[in-house]
Amino acid sequence: SNPQSSIVEPSHSIRNLYTLKHLKNMEVIQEKLKVLRTKLDSIPILQKAEDTTKVPKEYLVLVVGTLLSIIVFFGIGAGSLCSITGFVYPAFKSFNAIESKMKGDDQQWLIYWVVFGFFSVIETFSDFLLYWIPFYYAFKLAFLLWMMLPQTMGARFLYETFLKNLLKKNESSIDAALKDASKTANNVGTNAAAAATEEVKKDK
């Protein structure tokens, strides 16, 4: 027998097996993309994006999702993304709540802004955490979504669990601190205006 043929035949079989495996993987991927597309058909804005870009909506979602993952996990513009997420959607829903006649949604978004403000103040004084917590912005984005989404209503949970009692216990102290801060700001403004007026008089 020809020794070269015994070498070629196994290598040919390996290539065939690799090709079959590759084709099966592609079939699985295509099937998953079809399922994803079916789920995305209920979102009109994605259909408009597909018509405009001529790119299938499932691919658009995958690309945007990948970019967002890179942004969040590698910190490239993640702070801005979290700020926009924590503000834009809640602000729009708050506007809808103000304009609607229902009062339940007003309370929900007022609670969100109270909790959002509370944690924003804490974050302001704990910037050093950014250097020690891996994937900080990924956790922050997930936390913001948990707080705002109607399916989870995390802001209401946090408010009812501990924040409401904390604010009630310290209400008088907070009022006093705000009054002192307001007086200080007024004094600073008055002194600054007086100093500016004196400088103008000197220049004349």
Side-chain angles (χ1 to χ4, degrees), residues 86-88 90-92 94 108-118 155:
F87 178 79
V88 173
F92 178 71
S94 298
Q108 166 63 21
W109 291 109
L110 282 171
I111 288 174
Y112 171 82
W113 290 116
V114 170
V115 178
F116 179 81
F118 178 78

Side-chain angles (χ1 to χ4, degrees), residues 166-180:
L166 178 67
L167 293 175
K168 282 185 175 181
K169 288 179 181 178
N170 297 279
E171 187 174 0
S172 58
S173 300
I174 294 171
D175 284 337
L178 289 175
K179 287 178 182 178
D180 291 340

Side-chain angles (χ1 to χ4, degrees), residues 60-74 76 81:
L60 290 173
V61 169
L62 290 174
V63 170
V64 172
T66 301
L67 290 174
L68 288 176
S69 299
I70 292 172
I71 287 172
V72 171
F73 284 101
F74 292 97
I76 305 170
L81 175 64

Side-chain angles (χ1 to χ4, degrees), residues 71-72 75-85 123 136-137 140 144:
I71 287 172
V72 171
I76 305 170
S80 299
L81 175 64
C82 287
S83 298
I84 292 170
T85 302
E123 187 182 38
Y136 172 82
Y137 286 113
K140 182 178 178 180
L144 289 171

Side-chain angles (χ1 to χ4, degrees), residues 7-24:
I7 296 172
V8 171
E9 287 178 4
S11 63
H12 184 68
S13 300
I14 291 171
R15 282 199 299 270
N16 287 339
L17 287 173
Y18 177 79
T19 302
L20 288 172
K21 185 177 181 180
H22 179 70
L23 289 174
K24 286 183 179 179

